[in-house]
Amino acid sequence: MDSIKKHIKSSKDKEDAKPLDKPEQFLFQLSQIPNFSERLFCILFQSTFHECITSVLRKIEILQRVCKIIQSGKCVLQVLGLVLAFGNFMNGGNRSRGQADGFTLDILPKLKDVKSSDNSQSLLSYIVAYYLRHFDEVCFGSCLFESLFCFSLICLEILPELSFHLLSCQ
């Protein structure tokens, strides 16, 4: 932009100066519009606002549905109970040597990384198999799989995108 302005100033004094091409003329005319960048930002914001709000609302609705499923689902409590029971059993011992009762939610994605001694099965697959054998007589895993899908949907997709959208609104 500076070079275009320099060219215009220098060409005013000269009679044989080359005129600006169409793109440079266009850019120069845009630069003459007061508060052009702010106006352009507002126009772009207006054009994408509805789409962004719709996307955020859809994610919030999914989050609300998933929260209702998790709160009302008996299988979620059963699965978390199994994670607690197996975790307490595996970390059993005395207070000075490794006993840890309970777990935090950030351990849940790591269940797939805990392997059996022969490395053939993960703790997650064992918990799912145990649940299907002992707790799920009627649903054939649909309640469990719906809950696990909801957990993964929240943790992997909805919360990061929603937090990004909400932070960008500040």
Side-chain angles (χ1 to χ4, degrees):
M1 197 70 226
D2 292 332
S3 62
I4 293 174
K5 288 181 181 179
K6 286 179 187 176
H7 178 75
I8 291 174
K9 285 181 184 177
S10 66
S11 65
K12 284 182 181 178
D13 300 336
K14 300 177 185 176
E15 291 180 18
D16 62 337
K18 292 183 179 179
L20 292 173
D21 286 337
K22 294 283 184 190
E24 285 82 12
Q25 288 176 7
F26 178 71
L27 285 176
F28 180 71
Q29 289 172 351
L30 286 179
S31 72
Q32 300 305 307
I33 297 173
N35 301 321
F36 174 72
S37 61
E38 290 84 3
R39 289 178 176 190
L40 183 62
F41 176 78
C42 287
I43 290 170
L44 291 174
F45 179 76
Q46 286 176 339
S47 67
T48 59
F49 179 75
H50 182 70
E51 181 182 322
C52 289
I53 289 298
T54 303
S55 173
V56 168
L57 288 175
R58 184 184 59 83
K59 288 177 177 71
I60 289 174
E61 289 171 1
I62 293 171
L63 184 63
Q64 288 174 332
R65 276 190 280 148
V66 167
C67 288
K68 285 180 185 175
I69 290 171
I70 290 172
Q71 286 176 336
S72 63
K74 162 180 118 171
C75 62
V76 174
L77 292 176
Q78 292 171 333
V79 170
L80 292 177
L82 289 174
V83 171
L84 177 65
F86 290 129
N88 286 347
F89 178 78
M90 290 170 53
N91 291 325
N94 56 35
R95 287 279 176 211
S96 63
R97 214 184 108 225
Q99 182 175 356
D101 295 327
F103 65 93
T104 57
L105 293 179
D106 62 338
I107 198 71
L108 293 177
K110 299 174 186 173
L111 292 176
K112 68 180 182 341
D113 300 329
V114 179
K115 302 287 185 180
S116 61
S117 59
D118 61 353
N119 215 19
S120 65
Q121 191 175 25
S122 70
L123 180 57
L124 178 63
S125 62
Y126 183 79
I127 289 172
V128 169
Y130 190 91
Y131 175 84
L132 292 174
R133 259 192 321 244
H134 293 90
F135 292 100
D136 192 39
E137 297 97 19
V138 180
C139 298
F140 301 109
S142 64
C143 176
L144 173 67
F145 295 128
E146 180 182 27
S147 299
L148 291 176
F149 175 74
C150 291
F151 274 133
S152 67
L153 193 63
I154 285 178
C155 295
L156 300 177
E157 184 179 332
I158 293 176
L159 286 181
E161 288 180 17
L162 190 59
S163 63
F164 171 76
H165 285 299
L166 292 177
L167 288 175
S168 66
C169 290
Q170 292 182 349

